[in-house]
Amino acid sequence: TGKAEVLKAMGRLPEALEAYEATVRDFPENAFARTGKAEVLKAMGRLPEALEAYEATVRDFPEDAVARTGKAEVLKAMGHLPEALEAYEATVRDFPERVVAQTGKAEVLKAMGRLPEALDAYEATIRDFAENAFARTGKAEVLKAMGRLPEALDAYEATVRDLPENAVARNGKAEVLKAMGRLPEALEAYEVTVRDFPQNAVARSGKAEVLKAMGRLPEALEAYSFLEDAVARCGRAEVLKVMGRLPEALEAYEATIRDFPGDAVARNGKAEVLKATGPLAEALDAYEATIRDFPGDAVARTGKATLLVLLGRYEEAAALVRTDRTQTRDEWVALHIRASIKLKQNSLDEAD
């Protein structure tokens, strides 16, 4: 299992899977090997197989909290959010000492747009586990999603001060600075993190994203080119799109989808490039396929709705973006699309 874990950490996922499968075959009573196999399947984007592997482990080892939280995490990744929440709540009930289950529950609430409940869940976890970095960064991230950026920045800065070796908090602080439009400070924060954590892909991708936001596109493209994870490859494709190099952007997205079939961002990016290049029918097909495979992905739904507006199919578009809440960025995007539909229909008072 140690060898398999190292192969996984090196990104050699097929070899890691093979090593775990051999261990499971020879040591079927080893729960760690079975959860490791499931985790590699998840990392490879083979989510139905990962879910099946976790469920089998939970059935055979009902007292294994890792398998239960793993199952919940896969359900979340598949967009099955109510089931994921139920799985986390059951794990919290049976294993109250498991901080991973508590933060996982909070994260699912956030993904469902239930931000006040997510904030309460993170704050309760921080009360019980004051030094848990994930709970503290999770709280900051929810504050950011609620648009409470100064509070989010304060929360991240406090976490960086108390836990200076936590790269997640430092990346989060930089991302909030970016969201506040303080781009030079965000760039500096990312560069410091890259210096201190040179292997941290999130910091390097974040730096590239800030360079892109500053209009320094060749530098952003070069920054992304050193990375091979799905986030960086999508980022590089997006820079190519902004530079007007659409065939290259499309090719980059398609390659990312091929290598990371479980990545919804790449699939949405491909649809967006198809929308920019035409024909629109292909872009619509791409969005519909993403919604089918990732039913909880708000970006795909709003992307499809925007495309339907362009096609004049207003009622279908409005049905995709109905929401009574405006708490998350995605919900504000949905409201904006509804306003644009009313404008195109000449319902000016409703649009206003």
Side-chain angles (χ1 to χ4, degrees), residues 96-183:
E97 75 287 353
R98 290 287 300 182
V99 67
V100 174
Q102 294 197 37
T103 54
K105 173 187 170 182
E107 192 62 21
V108 172
L109 287 166
K110 177 183 161 226
M112 295 174 84
R114 294 162 61 177
L115 299 183
E117 292 173 80
L119 186 60
D120 287 345
Y122 273 124
E123 287 179 336
T125 306
I126 291 167
R127 275 197 307 272
D128 296 337
F129 304 92
E131 295 306 309
N132 186 269
F134 193 87
R136 293 177 67 172
T137 56
K139 175 187 172 181
E141 196 61 22
V142 171
L143 288 166
K144 178 186 155 205
M146 296 174 86
R148 294 161 60 176
L149 298 182
E151 292 173 79
L153 183 60
D154 287 346
Y156 272 126
E157 287 182 331
T159 307
V160 171
R161 183 181 62 246
D162 297 340
L163 306 164
E165 295 307 308
N166 187 273
V168 174
R170 293 170 70 168
N171 288 330
K173 173 187 171 181
E175 190 61 23
V176 172
L177 287 167
K178 178 182 162 227
M180 296 174 85
R182 294 160 61 175
L183 298 183

Coordinates of all heavy atoms in Angstrom, one line a residue, residues 96-183:
P96 N -18.5 11.1 15.6 CA -18.5 12.6 15.8 C -17.1 13.1 16.0 O -16.9 14.4 15.9 CB -19.3 12.7 17.2 CG -19.2 11.3 17.8 CD -19.2 10.4 16.6
E97 N -16.1 12.3 16.2 CA -14.8 12.7 16.3 C -14.1 12.9 15.0 O -12.9 13.4 14.9 CB -14.0 11.8 17.2 CG -13.6 10.5 16.5 CD -14.7 9.5 16.3 OE1 -15.8 9.7 16.8 OE2 -14.5 8.4 15.6
R98 N -14.7 12.6 13.9 CA -14.1 12.6 12.6 C -14.3 14.0 12.0 O -15.4 14.3 11.4 CB -14.7 11.6 11.6 CG -14.3 10.2 12.0 CD -12.9 9.8 11.6 NE -12.6 10.0 10.2 CZ -11.5 9.7 9.7 NH1 -10.5 9.3 10.4 NH2 -11.3 9.9 8.4
V99 N -13.3 14.9 12.1 CA -13.4 16.2 11.5 C -13.6 16.2 10.0 O -14.3 17.1 9.5 CB -12.2 17.0 11.9 CG1 -10.9 16.5 11.3 CG2 -12.4 18.5 11.6
V100 N -13.1 15.2 9.3 CA -13.3 15.1 7.9 C -14.7 15.0 7.5 O -15.2 15.7 6.5 CB -12.5 13.9 7.3 CG1 -12.7 13.8 5.8 CG2 -11.0 14.2 7.5
A101 N -15.5 14.3 8.2 CA -16.9 14.2 7.9 C -17.6 15.5 8.2 O -18.5 15.9 7.4 CB -17.5 13.0 8.8
Q102 N -17.2 16.2 9.3 CA -17.9 17.4 9.6 C -17.6 18.5 8.5 O -18.5 19.2 8.1 CB -17.5 17.9 11.0 CG -18.0 17.0 12.1 CD -17.9 17.7 13.5 OE1 -18.1 18.9 13.6 NE2 -17.5 16.9 14.5
T103 N -16.4 18.6 8.1 CA -16.0 19.6 7.1 C -16.6 19.2 5.7 O -17.0 20.0 4.9 CB -14.5 19.8 7.0 OG1 -13.9 18.5 6.7 CG2 -13.9 20.4 8.2
G104 N -16.7 17.9 5.5 CA -17.3 17.4 4.2 C -18.8 17.8 4.2 O -19.3 18.2 3.1
K105 N -19.5 17.6 5.3 CA -20.9 18.0 5.3 C -21.0 19.5 5.0 O -21.9 19.9 4.2 CB -21.5 17.7 6.7 CG -22.9 18.2 7.0 CD -23.3 18.1 8.4 CE -24.6 18.8 8.7 NZ -25.0 18.7 10.1
A106 N -20.2 20.3 5.6 CA -20.2 21.8 5.4 C -20.0 22.1 3.9 O -20.6 23.0 3.4 CB -19.2 22.5 6.3
E107 N -19.0 21.4 3.3 CA -18.7 21.6 1.9 C -19.8 21.3 1.0 O -20.1 22.0 0.0 CB -17.4 20.8 1.6 CG -16.8 21.2 0.3 CD -16.3 22.6 0.2 OE1 -16.0 23.2 1.3 OE2 -16.1 23.1 -0.9
V108 N -20.6 20.2 1.3 CA -21.7 19.8 0.5 C -22.8 20.9 0.6 O -23.5 21.3 -0.4 CB -22.3 18.4 0.9 CG1 -23.6 18.1 0.1 CG2 -21.2 17.4 0.5
L109 N -23.1 21.4 1.9 CA -24.0 22.4 2.0 C -23.7 23.7 1.2 O -24.5 24.3 0.6 CB -24.1 22.8 3.5 CG -24.8 21.8 4.4 CD1 -24.6 22.1 5.9 CD2 -26.3 21.8 4.2
K110 N -22.4 24.0 1.2 CA -21.9 25.1 0.3 C -22.2 24.8 -1.1 O -22.7 25.7 -1.9 CB -20.4 25.3 0.6 CG -19.8 26.4 -0.3 CD -18.3 26.5 -0.1 CE -17.7 27.2 -1.3 NZ -16.6 26.6 -1.8
A111 N -21.9 23.6 -1.6 CA -22.1 23.3 -3.0 C -23.6 23.3 -3.4 O -24.0 23.6 -4.5 CB -21.6 21.9 -3.3
M112 N -24.5 23.1 -2.4 CA -25.9 23.1 -2.6 C -26.5 24.6 -2.5 O -27.7 24.8 -2.7 CB -26.7 22.3 -1.6 CG -26.3 20.8 -1.6 SD -27.1 19.8 -0.3 CE -28.8 19.5 -0.9
G113 N -25.6 25.5 -2.3 CA -26.0 26.9 -2.2 C -26.6 27.3 -0.8 O -27.1 28.4 -0.6
R114 N -26.5 26.3 0.1 CA -27.1 26.6 1.5 C -26.0 27.2 2.3 O -25.5 26.6 3.3 CB -27.6 25.3 2.1 CG -28.8 24.8 1.3 CD -29.2 23.3 1.5 NE -29.5 23.0 2.9 CZ -29.9 21.8 3.3 NH1 -30.0 20.8 2.4 NH2 -30.1 21.5 4.5
L115 N -25.7 28.4 2.0 CA -24.5 29.1 2.5 C -24.6 29.4 4.0 O -23.6 29.2 4.8 CB -24.1 30.3 1.7 CG -23.8 30.1 0.2 CD1 -23.4 31.4 -0.4 CD2 -22.7 29.0 0.1
P116 N -25.7 29.9 4.5 CA -25.7 30.2 6.0 C -25.6 28.9 6.8 O -24.9 28.9 7.8 CB -27.1 30.8 6.2 CG -27.4 31.4 4.9 CD -26.9 30.5 3.8
E117 N -26.2 27.8 6.3 CA -26.0 26.5 7.0 C -24.5 26.0 6.9 O -24.0 25.4 7.9 CB -26.9 25.4 6.4 CG -28.4 25.7 6.6 CD -29.3 24.7 5.9 OE1 -29.4 23.6 6.3 OE2 -29.8 25.1 4.8
A118 N -23.9 26.2 5.7 CA -22.5 25.8 5.6 C -21.6 26.6 6.5 O -20.7 26.0 7.2 CB -22.1 26.0 4.1
L119 N -21.9 27.9 6.6 CA -21.1 28.7 7.6 C -21.3 28.3 9.0 O -20.3 28.1 9.7 CB -21.6 30.2 7.4 CG -20.7 31.2 8.2 CD1 -19.3 31.2 7.8 CD2 -21.3 32.6 8.0
D120 N -22.5 28.0 9.4 CA -22.8 27.5 10.7 C -22.0 26.2 11.0 O -21.5 25.9 12.1 CB -24.3 27.2 11.0 CG -25.1 28.5 11.1 OD1 -24.4 29.6 11.3 OD2 -26.3 28.5 11.0
A121 N -22.1 25.3 10.0 CA -21.4 24.0 10.1 C -19.9 24.1 10.3 O -19.3 23.5 11.1 CB -21.7 23.1 8.9
Y122 N -19.3 25.0 9.5 CA -17.9 25.3 9.6 C -17.5 25.9 11.0 O -16.5 25.5 11.6 CB -17.3 26.2 8.5 CG -17.0 25.4 7.3 CD1 -17.5 25.7 6.0 CD2 -16.0 24.4 7.3 CE1 -17.2 25.0 4.9 CE2 -15.7 23.7 6.2 CZ -16.2 24.0 5.0 OH -15.9 23.3 3.8
E123 N -18.4 26.9 11.4 CA -18.1 27.5 12.7 C -18.2 26.5 13.9 O -17.4 26.5 14.8 CB -19.0 28.7 12.9 CG -18.6 29.9 12.0 CD -19.5 31.1 12.1 OE1 -20.7 30.9 12.5 OE2 -19.1 32.2 11.8
A124 N -19.2 25.6 13.8 CA -19.3 24.5 14.8 C -18.1 23.6 14.8 O -17.6 23.2 15.9 CB -20.6 23.7 14.6
T125 N -17.6 23.3 13.6 CA -16.4 22.5 13.5 C -15.2 23.2 14.1 O -14.4 22.6 14.8 CB -16.1 22.1 12.1 OG1 -17.3 21.5 11.5 CG2 -15.0 21.1 12.0
I126 N -15.1 24.5 13.8 CA -13.9 25.2 14.4 C -14.0 25.3 15.9 O -13.0 25.2 16.6 CB -13.9 26.7 13.8 CG1 -13.5 26.6 12.3 CG2 -12.9 27.6 14.5 CD1 -13.8 27.9 11.5
R127 N -15.2 25.4 16.5 CA -15.4 25.4 17.9 C -14.8 24.1 18.5 O -14.2 24.1 19.6 CB -16.8 25.5 18.3 CG -17.3 26.9 18.4 CD -18.6 27.0 19.2 NE -19.7 26.1 18.7 CZ -20.5 26.4 17.7 NH1 -20.4 27.6 17.1 NH2 -21.4 25.6 17.2
D128 N -15.1 22.9 17.8 CA -14.7 21.6 18.3 C -13.2 21.3 18.0 O -12.6 20.5 18.7 CB -15.6 20.5 17.8 CG -17.1 20.7 18.3 OD1 -17.2 21.3 19.3 OD2 -18.0 20.2 17.6
F129 N -12.8 21.8 16.8 CA -11.4 21.5 16.3 C -10.8 22.8 15.9 O -10.6 23.2 14.7 CB -11.5 20.6 15.1 CG -12.2 19.3 15.4 CD1 -13.6 19.2 15.1 CD2 -11.6 18.2 15.9 CE1 -14.3 18.0 15.4 CE2 -12.2 17.0 16.1 CZ -13.6 16.9 15.9
A130 N -10.4 23.6 16.9 CA -9.9 25.0 16.7 C -8.7 25.1 15.8 O -8.5 26.1 15.1 CB -9.6 25.6 18.0
E131 N -7.9 24.1 15.8 CA -6.7 24.1 15.0 C -6.8 23.4 13.6 O -5.8 23.3 12.9 CB -5.5 23.5 15.7 CG -5.1 24.2 17.0 CD -4.8 25.7 16.7 OE1 -4.0 26.0 15.8 OE2 -5.4 26.6 17.4
N132 N -8.0 23.1 13.3 CA -8.2 22.4 12.0 C -8.1 23.4 10.8 O -9.0 24.2 10.7 CB -9.5 21.6 11.9 CG -9.6 20.8 10.7 OD1 -10.2 21.2 9.7 ND2 -9.1 19.5 10.7
A133 N -7.1 23.3 10.0 CA -6.9 24.2 8.9 C -8.0 24.2 7.9 O -8.5 25.2 7.3 CB -5.6 24.0 8.3
F134 N -8.5 22.9 7.6 CA -9.5 22.8 6.6 C -10.8 23.5 7.0 O -11.5 24.1 6.1 CB -9.8 21.3 6.3 CG -10.6 21.1 5.0 CD1 -9.9 21.0 3.8 CD2 -11.9 21.0 5.0 CE1 -10.6 20.8 2.6 CE2 -12.7 20.8 3.8 CZ -12.0 20.7 2.6
A135 N -11.2 23.4 8.2 CA -12.4 24.0 8.7 C -12.3 25.6 8.6 O -13.2 26.3 8.2 CB -12.7 23.6 10.1
R136 N -11.1 26.1 9.0 CA -10.9 27.5 8.9 C -10.9 28.1 7.5 O -11.5 29.1 7.2 CB -9.6 27.9 9.7 CG -9.7 27.6 11.2 CD -8.5 27.8 12.0 NE -8.1 29.2 12.0 CZ -7.2 29.8 12.7 NH1 -6.4 29.0 13.5 NH2 -6.9 31.0 12.7
T137 N -10.2 27.3 6.6 CA -10.2 27.8 5.2 C -11.6 27.6 4.6 O -12.0 28.4 3.8 CB -9.1 27.1 4.4 OG1 -9.3 25.6 4.5 CG2 -7.7 27.4 4.9
G138 N -12.3 26.5 5.0 CA -13.7 26.3 4.5 C -14.6 27.5 4.9 O -15.4 28.0 4.1
K139 N -14.5 27.9 6.2 CA -15.3 29.1 6.6 C -15.0 30.3 5.8 O -15.9 31.0 5.3 CB -15.0 29.3 8.1 CG -15.7 30.6 8.6 CD -15.3 30.9 10.0 CE -15.8 32.3 10.4 NZ -15.4 32.7 11.8
A140 N -13.7 30.5 5.5 CA -13.3 31.7 4.7 C -13.8 31.6 3.3 O -14.3 32.6 2.7 CB -11.8 31.8 4.7
E141 N -13.8 30.4 2.8 CA -14.3 30.2 1.4 C -15.8 30.5 1.3 O -16.3 31.0 0.3 CB -14.0 28.8 0.9 CG -14.1 28.6 -0.6 CD -13.1 29.5 -1.4 OE1 -12.1 30.0 -0.9 OE2 -13.4 29.7 -2.6
V142 N -16.6 30.1 2.3 CA -18.0 30.3 2.4 C -18.3 31.8 2.5 O -19.1 32.4 1.8 CB -18.7 29.6 3.5 CG1 -20.2 30.0 3.6 CG2 -18.7 28.1 3.3
L143 N -17.5 32.5 3.3 CA -17.7 34.0 3.4 C -17.4 34.6 2.0 O -18.1 35.6 1.6 CB -16.7 34.5 4.4 CG -17.1 34.2 5.9 CD1 -15.9 34.5 6.8 CD2 -18.3 35.1 6.3
K144 N -16.4 34.1 1.3 CA -16.1 34.6 0.0 C -17.3 34.4 -1.0 O -17.7 35.3 -1.7 CB -14.8 33.9 -0.5 CG -14.4 34.4 -1.9 CD -13.3 33.5 -2.4 CE -13.3 33.5 -3.9 NZ -12.6 32.3 -4.5
A145 N -17.8 33.2 -0.9 CA -19.0 32.8 -1.8 C -20.2 33.7 -1.5 O -21.0 33.9 -2.4 CB -19.3 31.3 -1.6
M146 N -20.3 34.1 -0.2 CA -21.4 35.0 0.2 C -21.2 36.5 -0.2 O -22.0 37.3 0.0 CB -21.7 34.9 1.7 CG -22.1 33.5 2.1 SD -22.3 33.3 3.9 CE -23.9 33.9 4.2
G147 N -20.0 36.8 -0.8 CA -19.7 38.1 -1.1 C -19.1 39.0 0.0 O -18.9 40.2 -0.1
R148 N -18.9 38.3 1.2 CA -18.4 39.0 2.3 C -16.9 39.0 2.3 O -16.2 38.3 3.1 CB -19.0 38.4 3.6 CG -20.5 38.6 3.7 CD -21.2 37.6 4.7 NE -20.7 37.7 6.0 CZ -21.3 37.0 7.0 NH1 -22.3 36.2 6.8 NH2 -20.8 37.1 8.3
L149 N -16.3 39.7 1.3 CA -14.9 39.5 1.0 C -14.0 40.1 2.1 O -12.9 39.4 2.4 CB -14.6 40.2 -0.4 CG -15.3 39.6 -1.6 CD1 -14.9 40.3 -2.9 CD2 -15.1 38.1 -1.7
P150 N -14.2 41.2 2.7 CA -13.3 41.7 3.8 C -13.3 40.7 4.9 O -12.2 40.4 5.5 CB -14.0 43.0 4.2 CG -14.7 43.5 3.0 CD -15.2 42.3 2.4
E151 N -14.4 40.1 5.3 CA -14.4 39.0 6.4 C -13.7 37.8 5.9 O -12.9 37.2 6.7 CB -15.9 38.7 6.7 CG -16.6 39.8 7.4 CD -18.1 39.4 7.6 OE1 -18.4 38.6 8.5 OE2 -18.9 39.8 6.8
A152 N -13.8 37.4 4.6 CA -13.1 36.3 4.1 C -11.6 36.5 4.2 O -10.8 35.6 4.5 CB -13.5 36.0 2.7
L153 N -11.2 37.7 3.8 CA -9.8 38.1 3.8 C -9.2 38.0 5.2 O -8.2 37.5 5.5 CB -9.6 39.5 3.2 CG -8.1 39.9 3.1 CD1 -7.3 39.0 2.2 CD2 -8.0 41.4 2.5
D154 N -10.0 38.6 6.2 CA -9.6 38.5 7.6 C -9.4 37.1 8.1 O -8.5 36.7 8.8 CB -10.6 39.2 8.5 CG -10.6 40.7 8.4 OD1 -9.6 41.3 7.8 OD2 -11.6 41.4 8.8
A155 N -10.4 36.2 7.7 CA -10.3 34.8 8.1 C -9.1 34.1 7.5 O -8.4 33.3 8.2 CB -11.6 34.1 7.7
Y156 N -8.8 34.4 6.2 CA -7.6 33.8 5.6 C -6.3 34.3 6.3 O -5.4 33.5 6.5 CB -7.6 34.0 4.1 CG -8.4 33.0 3.3 CD1 -9.4 33.3 2.4 CD2 -8.1 31.6 3.5 CE1 -10.1 32.4 1.7 CE2 -8.7 30.7 2.7 CZ -9.7 31.0 1.9 OH -10.4 30.1 1.1
E157 N -6.3 35.6 6.5 CA -5.1 36.2 7.1 C -4.8 35.6 8.5 O -3.7 35.3 8.8 CB -5.2 37.7 7.1 CG -5.0 38.3 5.7 CD -5.1 39.8 5.6 OE1 -5.7 40.4 6.5 OE2 -4.4 40.4 4.7
A158 N -5.9 35.4 9.3 CA -5.7 34.8 10.6 C -5.2 33.4 10.5 O -4.3 33.0 11.3 CB -7.1 34.9 11.3
T159 N -5.7 32.7 9.5 CA -5.2 31.3 9.3 C -3.8 31.2 8.9 O -3.0 30.4 9.4 CB -6.2 30.5 8.3 OG1 -7.5 30.7 8.7 CG2 -5.8 29.1 8.2
V160 N -3.4 32.1 8.0 CA -2.0 32.2 7.5 C -1.1 32.5 8.7 O 0.0 32.0 8.8 CB -1.9 33.2 6.4 CG1 -0.4 33.5 6.1 CG2 -2.6 32.7 5.1
R161 N -1.6 33.5 9.5 CA -0.7 33.9 10.7 C -0.6 32.7 11.7 O 0.6 32.5 12.2 CB -1.4 35.1 11.4 CG -0.6 35.6 12.6 CD -1.4 36.8 13.2 NE -2.7 36.3 13.8 CZ -3.9 36.7 13.4 NH1 -3.9 37.6 12.4 NH2 -5.0 36.3 13.9
D162 N -1.6 32.0 11.9 CA -1.6 30.9 12.9 C -1.0 29.6 12.3 O -0.4 28.8 13.1 CB -3.0 30.6 13.4 CG -3.6 31.8 14.2 OD1 -2.8 32.6 14.6 OD2 -4.8 31.8 14.4
L163 N -1.2 29.4 11.0 CA -0.7 28.2 10.4 C 0.1 28.6 9.1 O -0.4 28.4 8.0 CB -1.9 27.3 10.0 CG -2.9 26.9 11.1 CD1 -4.2 26.4 10.6 CD2 -2.2 25.9 12.1
P164 N 1.3 29.1 9.3 CA 2.0 29.6 8.1 C 2.5 28.6 7.1 O 2.8 28.9 6.0 CB 3.3 30.3 8.8 CG 3.4 29.6 10.1 CD 2.0 29.3 10.5
E165 N 2.4 27.3 7.5 CA 2.8 26.3 6.6 C 1.7 25.7 5.8 O 1.8 24.7 5.0 CB 3.5 25.1 7.4 CG 4.8 25.5 8.0 CD 5.8 26.2 7.0 OE1 6.0 25.5 5.9 OE2 6.3 27.3 7.3
N166 N 0.5 26.3 5.9 CA -0.7 25.9 5.2 C -0.8 26.6 3.9 O -1.2 27.8 3.9 CB -1.9 26.0 6.1 CG -3.2 25.4 5.4 OD1 -3.9 26.0 4.6 ND2 -3.4 24.2 5.8
A167 N -0.5 25.9 2.8 CA -0.5 26.5 1.5 C -2.0 26.9 1.1 O -2.2 27.8 0.3 CB 0.1 25.6 0.5
V168 N -2.9 26.1 1.5 CA -4.3 26.3 1.1 C -4.8 27.7 1.6 O -5.4 28.5 0.8 CB -5.3 25.2 1.7 CG1 -6.7 25.6 1.4 CG2 -4.9 23.9 1.0
A169 N -4.5 28.0 2.8 CA -4.9 29.3 3.4 C -4.2 30.5 2.6 O -4.8 31.5 2.3 CB -4.5 29.4 4.9
R170 N -2.9 30.3 2.3 CA -2.2 31.3 1.5 C -2.8 31.5 0.1 O -2.9 32.6 -0.4 CB -0.7 31.0 1.5 CG -0.1 31.1 2.9 CD 1.3 30.5 3.1 NE 2.2 31.4 2.4 CZ 3.6 31.2 2.6 NH1 4.0 30.3 3.4 NH2 4.4 32.0 1.9
N171 N -3.1 30.4 -0.5 CA -3.7 30.5 -1.8 C -5.1 31.2 -1.7 O -5.5 32.0 -2.6 CB -3.9 29.1 -2.5 CG -2.6 28.5 -2.9 OD1 -1.7 29.2 -3.3 ND2 -2.5 27.2 -2.9
G172 N -5.8 30.8 -0.7 CA -7.2 31.4 -0.5 C -7.1 32.9 -0.3 O -7.9 33.6 -0.8
K173 N -6.1 33.3 0.5 CA -5.9 34.8 0.7 C -5.7 35.5 -0.6 O -6.3 36.5 -0.9 CB -4.8 35.0 1.7 CG -4.4 36.5 1.8 CD -3.1 36.7 2.6 CE -2.6 38.1 2.5 NZ -1.3 38.3 3.3
A174 N -4.8 34.9 -1.4 CA -4.5 35.5 -2.7 C -5.7 35.5 -3.6 O -5.9 36.5 -4.3 CB -3.4 34.7 -3.4
E175 N -6.5 34.5 -3.6 CA -7.7 34.4 -4.4 C -8.7 35.5 -4.0 O -9.4 36.1 -4.9 CB -8.4 33.0 -4.3 CG -9.4 32.8 -5.3 CD -9.0 32.9 -6.8 OE1 -7.8 32.7 -7.1 OE2 -9.9 33.1 -7.6
V176 N -8.9 35.8 -2.7 CA -9.8 36.8 -2.2 C -9.3 38.2 -2.7 O -10.0 39.0 -3.1 CB -10.0 36.7 -0.7 CG1 -10.8 38.0 -0.2 CG2 -10.7 35.5 -0.3
L177 N -8.0 38.4 -2.6 CA -7.4 39.7 -3.1 C -7.7 39.8 -4.6 O -8.0 40.9 -5.0 CB -5.9 39.7 -2.8 CG -5.4 39.8 -1.4 CD1 -4.0 39.5 -1.2 CD2 -5.7 41.3 -0.9
K178 N -7.6 38.8 -5.3 CA -7.9 38.8 -6.7 C -9.4 39.2 -6.9 O -9.8 40.0 -7.7 CB -7.6 37.5 -7.4 CG -8.0 37.4 -8.9 CD -7.7 36.0 -9.4 CE -8.5 35.9 -10.7 NZ -9.2 34.6 -10.8
A179 N -10.3 38.5 -6.1 CA -11.7 38.8 -6.2 C -12.1 40.3 -5.9 O -13.0 40.8 -6.4 CB -12.5 37.8 -5.4
M180 N -11.2 40.9 -5.0 CA -11.4 42.2 -4.6 C -10.9 43.2 -5.6 O -11.0 44.4 -5.4 CB -10.8 42.5 -3.2 CG -11.5 41.7 -2.1 SD -10.6 41.8 -0.5 CE -11.3 43.3 0.1
G181 N -10.2 42.7 -6.7 CA -9.6 43.6 -7.7 C -8.2 44.1 -7.3 O -7.7 44.9 -8.0
R182 N -7.7 43.5 -6.2 CA -6.4 44.0 -5.8 C -5.3 43.1 -6.4 O -4.7 42.3 -5.7 CB -6.3 44.0 -4.2 CG -7.3 45.0 -3.6 CD -7.6 44.8 -2.2 NE -6.5 44.8 -1.3 CZ -6.6 44.7 0.1 NH1 -7.8 44.6 0.6 NH2 -5.5 44.7 0.8
L183 N -5.2 43.2 -7.7 CA -4.4 42.2 -8.5 C -2.9 42.2 -8.2 O -2.3 41.2 -8.1 CB -4.7 42.4 -10.0 CG -6.1 42.2 -10.5 CD1 -6.3 42.4 -12.0 CD2 -6.6 40.8 -10.0

